[in-house]
């Protein structure tokens, strides 16, 4: 039996619930207690007759249920199964990792591991590994050749390839800086510029978008500065002003002014698989909170990657919406910000994150 508008198959959901499947994408409520839970909650399994399924917390609340204190179904997810799989793959780029290993790691079947990984990352685990090796190779080559020591063959092995021929496998689409590295060749970017409210002294804001979504938000002191920064970032792209982005611009300005963050604007983020993970983790820092680089690395399941996390934050292309301003030094100092420390301070203050 299906509930058509919820898209939850009750028999499948019940089976996932009884096996406490952490990857199941529903919440369930227990009619006798009035509490709703994540599918993998440690609480006692309810009777099927008393169980209600919900696609999200808002629907569960609307039906009169309150959140379980144990599994906290409204809190942001703990380092998810996918994050743990990514960290596992990153530590093993020198050998193939079988899906069964990944499944075991997350307590799910190999098939489910593949499915949820692909859903979250847009690539299979083996494609992800291939992209990691390609990135490691580029780094090895750059650093090795600069030092004058490494031969290409050494670099290939250092980067985790078993043989040099495999270094020439194509990296999967969407996982490399790809077209953005080439300065946006073949892309058409539309942009709009506006001034933030004058009493905030926040300055000017530019939003640029591809067909897929926002690819660039930057802050600056003048229209001219922002216009030339956009052209410097995407020198090979076709760039055109577009009034129809005014609504998007207004939404971002509203958010800078401390407005609600409810609206989800489509983003077109491109970078290495690791950068994409960091940018995603940034989006999960709740408004009003901050993280240190090492906390963020730990939340991503890559506790040793603090420096790489800091680099990924520094190369964020979408200010405000990918809130790299919410990352501060371990001592609470503001550290750096691509668009100026004063603006970082203002953003954090407007979010109530400065004590
Ligand atoms: Zn619970």
């Amino acid at each position: 039996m299906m509930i058509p508008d919820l898209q939850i198959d009750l028999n499948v959901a019940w089976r996932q619930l009884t096996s406490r499947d952490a990857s199941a994408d529903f919440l369930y409520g227990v009619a006798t207690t009035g509490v709703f839970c994540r599918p993998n909650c440690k609480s006692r399994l309810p009777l099927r007759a008393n169980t209600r399924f919900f696609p999200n917390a808002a629907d569960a609340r609307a039906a009169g249920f309150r959140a379980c204190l144990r599994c906290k179904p409204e809190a942001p997810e703990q380092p998810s199964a996918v994050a743990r799989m990514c960290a596992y793959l990153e530590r093993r780029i020198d050998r193939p990792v079988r899906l069964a290993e990944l499944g075991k790691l997350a307590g799910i079947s190999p098939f489910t591991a593949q499915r949820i990984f692909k859903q979250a990352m847009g690539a299979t685990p083996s494609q992800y590994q291939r992209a990691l090796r390609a990135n490691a190779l580029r780094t090895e080559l750059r650093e090795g050749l600069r030092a004058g020591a490494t031969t290409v063959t050494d670099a290939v092995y250092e980067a985790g390839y078993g043989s040099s021929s495999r270094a020439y496998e194509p990296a999967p689409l969407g996982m490399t800086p790809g077209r953005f590295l080439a300065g946006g060749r073949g892309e058409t970017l539309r942009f709009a510029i506006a001034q933030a409210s004058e009493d905030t002294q926040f300055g000017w804001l530019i939003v640029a978008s591809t067909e897929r979504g926002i690819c660039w938000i930057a802050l600056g002191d003048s229209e001219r500065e922002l216009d030339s920064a956009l052209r410097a970032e995407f020198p090979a792209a076709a760039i055109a002003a577009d009034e129809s982005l005014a609504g998007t611009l207004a939404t971002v300005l509203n958010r800078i002014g401390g407005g609600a963050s409810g609206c989800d604007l489509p983003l077109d983020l491109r970078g290495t698989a690791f950068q994409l993970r960091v940018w995603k983790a940034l989006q999960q820092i709740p408004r009003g909170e901050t993280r240190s680089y090492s906390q963020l690395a730990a939340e991503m399941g890559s506790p040793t990657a603090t420096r790489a996390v800091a680099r990924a934050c520094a190369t964020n292309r979408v200010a405000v919406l990918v809130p790299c301003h919410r990352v501060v030094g371990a001592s609470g100092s503001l550290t750096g910000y691509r668009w100026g420390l004063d603006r970082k301070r203002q953003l954090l203050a407007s979010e109530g994150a400065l004590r």
Side-chain angles (χ1 to χ4, degrees):
M1 180 175 97
M2 295 269 277
I3 303 174
D5 48 347
L6 295 189
Q7 296 295 315
I8 294 176
D9 180 317
L10 294 182
N11 290 319
V12 172
W14 178 251
R15 208 161 50 234
Q16 287 179 305
L17 178 56
T18 52
S19 63
R20 292 299 192 185
D21 181 347
S23 69
D25 52 0
F26 59 77
L27 301 172
Y28 73 95
V30 184
T32 45
T33 60
V35 168
F36 70 97
C37 288
R38 295 181 196 273
N40 60 337
C41 180
K42 299 277 185 278
S43 64
R44 213 160 55 99
L45 202 64
L47 292 175
R48 182 167 181 175
N50 296 330
T51 306
R52 309 278 179 275
F53 294 100
F54 301 102
N56 54 54
D59 284 19
R61 282 210 171 271
F65 289 83
R66 62 181 191 283
C68 169
L69 296 176
R70 214 158 158 185
C71 63
K72 301 191 170 62
E74 288 175 309
E77 292 262 14
Q78 294 307 306
S80 68
V82 173
R84 272 182 287 136
M85 286 189 245
C86 288
Y88 187 87
L89 292 167
E90 281 158 20
R91 286 193 297 269
R92 288 164 186 78
I93 58 174
D94 55 335
R95 69 163 175 88
V97 171
R98 287 173 308 119
L99 286 175
E101 288 177 70
L102 294 177
K104 204 168 160 196
L105 180 78
I108 52 184
S109 74
F111 175 77
T112 305
Q114 165 104 321
R115 183 176 57 80
I116 66 173
F117 191 94
K118 179 138 197 229
Q119 213 166 47
M121 301 298 294
T124 65
S126 68
Q127 288 172 328
Y128 181 76
Q129 264 205 316
R130 215 183 299 157
L132 289 173
R133 283 196 297 262
N135 288 331
L137 176 60
R138 273 197 291 275
T139 308
E140 276 302 322
L141 276 175
R142 210 169 37 233
E143 288 174 4
L145 295 177
R146 191 181 300 141
T150 309
T151 67
V152 171
T153 311
D154 287 342
V156 162
Y157 282 97
E158 283 289 308
Y161 289 95
S163 75
S164 56
S165 62
R166 287 173 57 207
Y168 301 100
E169 306 161 11
L173 281 178
M175 306 209 47
T176 62
R179 288 193 288 182
F180 273 11
L181 253 196
R185 193 180 312 282
E187 300 275 357
T188 301
L189 300 189
R190 301 172 301 118
F191 76 94
I193 298 182
Q195 189 169 22
S197 155
E198 293 204 16
D199 43 287
T200 62
Q201 298 179 349
F202 203 84
W204 293 78
L205 172 91
I206 185 171
V207 173
S209 183
T210 65
E211 292 289 300
R212 295 169 57 189
I214 296 170
C215 62
W216 177 250
I217 294 182
L219 311 167
D221 292 332
S222 69
E223 270 187 279
R224 229 176 82 193
E225 177 192 333
L226 288 177
D227 186 275
S228 55
L230 175 68
R231 287 169 205 280
E233 183 78 15
F234 304 103
I239 291 177
D242 185 348
E243 296 287 319
S244 71
L245 282 170
T248 304
L249 205 50
T251 304
V252 180
L253 284 171
N254 179 45
R255 216 173 283 190
I256 288 174
S261 56
C263 171
D264 275 326
L265 296 167
L267 303 182
D268 183 2
L269 302 179
R270 297 186 216 176
T272 63
F274 186 80
Q275 282 175 315
L276 291 172
R277 280 181 58 211
V278 173
W279 297 338
K280 192 161 192 176
L282 288 171
Q283 292 173 271
Q284 279 158 4
I285 304 175
R287 183 188 179 75
E289 293 182 21
T290 57
R291 297 285 186 276
S292 69
Y293 293 108
S294 57
Q295 281 171 335
L296 195 64
E299 282 179 9
M300 290 172 51
S302 309
T304 56
T306 302
R307 282 176 56 197
V309 166
R311 272 198 303 277
C313 291
T315 50
N316 175 26
R317 289 194 189 86
V318 179
V320 184
L321 298 188
V322 178
C324 59
H325 61 272
R326 292 182 191 152
V327 182
V328 299
S331 62
S333 65
L334 289 185
T335 64
Y337 189 53
R338 185 170 184 177
W339 296 286
L341 268 188
D342 276 345
R343 293 196 179 92
K344 183 173 186 173
R345 194 174 295 112
Q346 284 185 57
L347 281 168
L348 290 173
S350 78
E351 296 178 350
L354 282 190
R355 277 156 298 239

